[in-house]
Amino acid sequence: MKSMDSFGARSVLEVGEQSYRIYRLDALKEEGLDVASLPYGLKILLENLLRTENGKDITAADIRALAGWDPQAQPDREIAFTPARVVLQDFTGVPAVVDLAAMREAMHALGGDPKRINPLAPVELVIDHSVIVDVFGQANAFERNVEIEYQRNLERYQFLRWGQQAFQAFKVVPPGTGIVHQVNLEHLSRVVFTADDDGMKVAYPDTCVGTDSHTPMVNGLGVVAWGVGGIEAEAAMLGQPISMLIPRVVGFKLTGTLPEGTTATDLVLTITEMLRKHRVVGKFVEFYGPGVAAVPLANRATIGNMSPEYGSTISIFPIDAETLRYLAFTGRSEEQIALVEAYAKAQGLWHDPQAEPRYSEKLELDLSQVVPSIAGPMRPQDRIALSDAKPAFHGALASSIGEPEQKPHGYDKVVDQSFPASDPPAHEESQSSSALPTDHVEQASTDDSQPRAPIPITFGDGTQGQIDHGSVVIAAITSCTNTSNPTVMIAAAMLAKRAVEKGLQRKPWVKTSLAPGSRVVTDYYERAGLTRYLDALGFNLVGYGCTTCIGNSGPLIPEVSQAVTDHDLSVVSVLSGNRNFEGRIHAEVKMNYLMSPPLVVAYALAGTMDIDLFNEPLGQGSDGKDVYLRDIWPTAAQVQEVVDGAIMSDMYTAGYADVFAGDERWRALSTPEGERFDWNEASTYARKPPYFDNMPRHPEPVSDIQGARVLAMLGDSVTTDHISPAGSIAKTSPAAAYLTEHGVDPKDFNSYGSRRGNHEVMIRGTFANVRLRNQLAPGTEGGFTRDFTRSDEPVTTIFDASRSYIDKGIPLVILAGKEYGSGSSRDWAAKGTALLGVRAVIAESYERIHRSNLLGMGVLPLQFPEGQNAATLGLTGKETFDITGIVTLNQDITPATVRVQADGVQFEAIVRIDTPSEAAYYRHGGIMQYVLRSLLD
């Protein structure tokens, strides 16, 4: 925090009896810079630069560039952002802790003190991605699912327990507590952060990066936060700034109020549709105007949560009275709330409903125009007015007729629609056809697998039913998006109560589940006396975690699964989540719809999407009369009355009082102790990575790349989803072979996500996506290439070929087209590339984060000359590559280009080392090596 303070911004803020050092934004007025009219989010970034100015990564010129921001300029100026803290979830957090543990080993080997390896920024990890809905619809579902979760993930949990006691500034929220984003919203976020510096408290905006794309949920509190890849998160943990372009900012003006009968979910689906059409990828979105005050904090959080679904980096609301109300409501201290108010007002961060900040672009929404909505069947931006749901469903079926070979599946949907992201789906490729009739009666297929009539089912308990296309087989009240919002959660429970009182039941083919984002939800359900009604409809608590949204929905009801598979039925899931890409929710479920929690309950009662909820009954009550949705839908006033009576601030205070301690099961785990982790060589979950093996005390000189061969020759828009291991582990894959050799049964393979702490599994899954097309192995899909170390040049797996090259000391390169590494930014896309032996990537263009991540792992990103690519240069991928000119980095000179000689082809490749810090990382062999040596010094 030793800022150079070139602008004299250092000042003191008095709040009550406490004094805080702050860096005042209005100090820049003396430079003639109009800071007051900057968007809220850019003011937060500007303060960050003022406070961390060091003359190297952050300069006075950077500060002037941001303060003098031109709203119409295209982003081209990079700045270094230093977040106040880092938030991790367990899938993405485990490899980060593995790397820290390995750095301690390396520090010890080099004669340093291992305890010097500690996060330099506060890190909070929430275990929330591991619970699966194996058991549902019964009173002990929660206990059974947690028990199974511990059995599956014991090694990972023991490792995280070790990290919790070994590292300072690293805290773990144990399993069964809540979803990372809801815990972040309700407890972890400070809004204004404080730290000690030479005996004085420094106050500054709370900012964070998280290894999950829905980190922007806390934008609703006015916290600048977004999702990043694991390498960026590790850099932030180790005190390194994150490089970013100064973004364009979209101002989204809100007016009016929501009409009766609509929910926060309807609002967010409307905004998602609008922003997706407007194209906001990589931009900041900021809400302003008189309608902001009418949006409750929980609704703001729901909107921020959906940022990755429409592509913005953040979707932020400024601080106002509603922010303070929510902080008090969720148990924050009076001192903290007073600091937030005083700081926001002193720094021009307090919302003025009449202000019109300068924005790059503007949108406007009258809240009174929002209507009840759902989204689907494949993308969150495909909003459907609830009144049109039935014909839209028919149209979705019709559109798939005769197009199975053109219709993208599984990962392709994730690749196409996902933005800086996080958790891949627990994907398994469905073997069933996607050719479905619009109406199974009027357009019956002659194929017996396409039924002309509903399929009868007899369940294990003797209950009978029948399912067909459009049957709802999963109904899940789940995900951080909506379970943090008391209004929609209470509405769902009230609707369930009225349904039960009318004598309605869920249909027996529907797998129902309740997976709230925090224990507060079940606390207020209990206080309101509503739990038993949800239980009566099968919405028993199944866990506090991220379940259906990431494919952790567990198996379908067995008899339903059999019928779906035997007859190739297009069945449906309904969920209160944020992602519904094909293949994501469940491999056997082709159509997925997002909706509010009360609508999830309604569709579970109806048991089908083939219904008009406005005009057709949900079923017959105990009196034999039809029951319509309007008969059981609670009014906004009725919901608010229950919310006011059932939810108290003390629930949050008590619920989070000891949030890091965990339950008896967590505390009873046998946990390794000591400053260095005792690696278990037999472990298939956590293994010491080889990044620091034989690492010298000082970096060796950078060398040119000689005699390299091409591991993969790829086209345009190859994303990190194509590169990074994701989803289930195929039983015929190199990763499966490794696990089998280590005594793991196929039923216990788990997923790549759960095994991110084992580099041996992950490198075997790198470039193994089933949709990858490597031009070196035409006619194949997946992780295949040619092995040029053998005279017959056989087609083999990318992993096996890489081992052959490494054994013979042959370096590797990747050739690629435009936008290489776009999509979700994932650490293993770069880590796996490096561990496969790739020394350089030559592409037409890069996604910024992946380019940076490659350098962070010591891989050189090069770019073809402008207007050139592999095809125009006549490259086949069979050439031997020499890359010369890199050695000038040894004189602290970053070359603009290097010479590439590929047999008879020669060209000058552009060097994409864009900052001095990146050059230092590359000279050291990667960012972790750079930080390690810096700490030794």
Side-chain angles (χ1 to χ4, degrees), residues 627-828:
V627 179
Y628 292 85
L629 181 62
R630 59 180 175 269
D631 298 329
I632 58 175
W633 189 273
T635 67
Q638 291 166 339
V639 171
Q640 193 60 49
E641 183 180 358
V642 175
V643 168
D644 293 342
I647 308 178
M648 305 297 173
S649 182
D650 62 357
M651 290 179 171
Y652 295 91
T653 306
Y656 289 112
D658 210 5
V659 70
F660 302 110
D663 60 13
E664 231 174 81
R665 189 183 280 107
W666 176 258
R667 294 193 298 271
L669 282 178
S670 61
T671 307
E673 296 183 355
E675 62 191 32
R676 291 160 54 209
F677 184 66
D678 184 15
W679 302 95
N680 178 2
E681 288 302 313
S683 173
T684 58
Y685 278 97
R687 295 183 66 85
K688 183 166 78 72
Y691 311 131
F692 310 104
D693 290 354
N694 304 313
M695 187 183 106
R697 173 67 182 78
H698 299 284
E700 296 176 341
V702 172
S703 62
D704 289 332
I705 299 170
Q706 303 285 345
R709 300 306 299 259
V710 177
L711 182 63
M713 185 171 176
L714 308 170
D716 294 341
S717 301
V718 170
T719 75
T720 51
D721 295 83
H722 285 108
I723 306 167
S724 185
S728 60
I729 297 172
K731 295 178 176 58
T732 57
S733 65
Y738 167 85
L739 291 172
T740 301
E741 289 168 7
H742 286 73
V744 180
D745 290 332
K747 66 180 178 60
D748 297 321
F749 281 176
N750 216 323
S751 66
Y752 282 112
S754 67
R755 294 188 181 274
R756 285 184 182 179
N758 184 342
H759 64 278
E760 296 286 5
V761 172
M762 298 303 282
I763 56 176
R764 286 165 169 80
T766 303
F767 289 107
N769 185 297
V770 294
R771 300 297 176 194
L772 185 76
R773 289 185 175 89
N774 181 3
Q775 295 168 26
L776 286 182
T780 68
E781 267 193 322
F784 298 99
T785 192
R786 303 280 286 282
D787 183 352
F788 296 123
T789 67
R790 292 174 51 179
S791 58
D792 55 345
E793 300 180 0
V795 172
T796 184
T797 67
I798 282 177
F799 172 76
D800 287 335
S802 79
R803 296 306 93 178
S804 296
Y805 290 116
I806 288 172
D807 289 345
K808 292 177 172 55
I810 299 173
L812 296 169
V813 297
I814 299 286
L815 302 181
K818 299 182 181 72
E819 299 177 345
Y820 183 71
S822 58
S824 304
S825 55
R826 300 200 180 120
D827 53 342
W828 269 105

Side-chain angles (χ1 to χ4, degrees), residues 161 222 259 353 416 591 709 743:
R161 281 271 287 158
D416 187 39
M591 307 181 79
R709 300 306 299 259

Side-chain angles (χ1 to χ4, degrees), residues 262-266 268-269 302 373-374 475-496 512-517 521 524-525 534 537 539 574-577 593-605 613 629 633-634:
T262 57
T263 67
T265 315
D266 305 320
V268 77
L269 293 178
T302 305
S373 303
I374 63 174
I477 300 175
T478 179
S479 102
C480 47
T481 309
N482 285 295
T483 65
S484 62
N485 193 316
T487 303
V488 293
M489 294 300 283
I490 288 291
M494 291 180 69
L495 190 141
T512 43
S513 60
L514 170 67
V521 176
Y524 62 65
Y525 274 167
L534 287 164
L537 296 181
F539 286 96
V574 297
L575 65 151
S576 62
Y593 289 88
L594 306 180
M595 59 188 65
S596 66
L599 283 179
V600 169
V601 176
Y603 276 106
L605 297 171
L613 291 182
L629 181 62
W633 189 273

Side-chain angles (χ1 to χ4, degrees), residues 385-635:
L386 185 60
S387 57
D388 297 330
K390 183 175 180 177
F393 166 70
H394 289 168
L397 284 176
S399 67
S400 63
I401 293 177
E403 301 176 7
E405 68 281 354
Q406 284 95 31
K407 187 179 178 186
H409 286 270
Y411 288 117
D412 285 350
K413 276 295 177 189
V414 179
V415 167
D416 187 39
Q417 304 301 335
S418 178
F419 288 94
S422 57
D423 50 292
H427 172 83
E428 292 181 17
E429 193 68 40
S430 174
Q431 300 302 312
S432 55
S433 166
S434 59
L436 305 168
T438 306
D439 184 297
H440 61 263
V441 175
E442 295 180 6
Q443 298 190 31
S445 169
T446 56
D447 184 347
D448 288 339
S449 68
Q450 304 279 350
R452 301 184 60 161
I455 302 301
I457 296 178
T458 301
F459 297 93
D461 61 359
T463 303
Q464 294 187 329
Q466 53 188 25
I467 67 169
D468 202 345
H469 299 304
S471 290
V472 173
V473 297
I474 291 176
I477 300 175
T478 179
S479 102
C480 47
T481 309
N482 285 295
T483 65
S484 62
N485 193 316
T487 303
V488 293
M489 294 300 283
I490 288 291
M494 291 180 69
L495 190 141
K497 176 178 184 292
R498 295 177 177 192
V500 170
E501 290 171 344
K502 291 280 189 181
L504 297 181
Q505 296 180 335
R506 71 170 176 90
K507 295 300 185 286
W509 53 84
V510 185
K511 180 175 183 176
T512 43
S513 60
L514 170 67
S518 81
R519 290 178 176 269
V520 173
V521 176
T522 45
D523 287 345
Y524 62 65
Y525 274 167
E526 281 294 316
R527 185 174 289 187
L530 293 171
T531 303
R532 62 192 180 100
Y533 299 106
L534 287 164
D535 290 350
L537 296 181
F539 286 96
N540 302 76
L541 176 69
V542 296
Y544 299 96
C546 201
T547 57
T548 309
C549 239
I550 59 165
N552 285 359
S553 45
L556 299 183
I557 297 169
E559 296 83 359
V560 172
S561 176
Q562 190 68 50
V564 169
T565 303
D566 289 348
H567 300 282
D568 194 21
L569 296 179
S570 179
V571 290
V572 171
S573 76
V574 297
L575 65 151
S576 62
N578 44 43
R579 288 187 170 169
N580 57 336
F581 310 129
E582 185 184 6
R584 184 182 182 93
I585 305 304
H586 195 284
E588 297 169 13
V589 179
K590 296 178 182 175
M591 307 181 79
N592 308 286
Y593 289 88
L594 306 180
M595 59 188 65
S596 66
L599 283 179
V600 169
V601 176
Y603 276 106
L605 297 171
T608 181
M609 281 301 298
D610 196 5
I611 183 174
D612 178 353
L613 291 182
F614 284 90
N615 298 301
E616 297 178 52
L618 295 169
Q620 282 70 47
S622 52
D623 59 2
K625 295 181 180 179
D626 287 344
V627 179
Y628 292 85
L629 181 62
R630 59 180 175 269
D631 298 329
I632 58 175
W633 189 273
T635 67

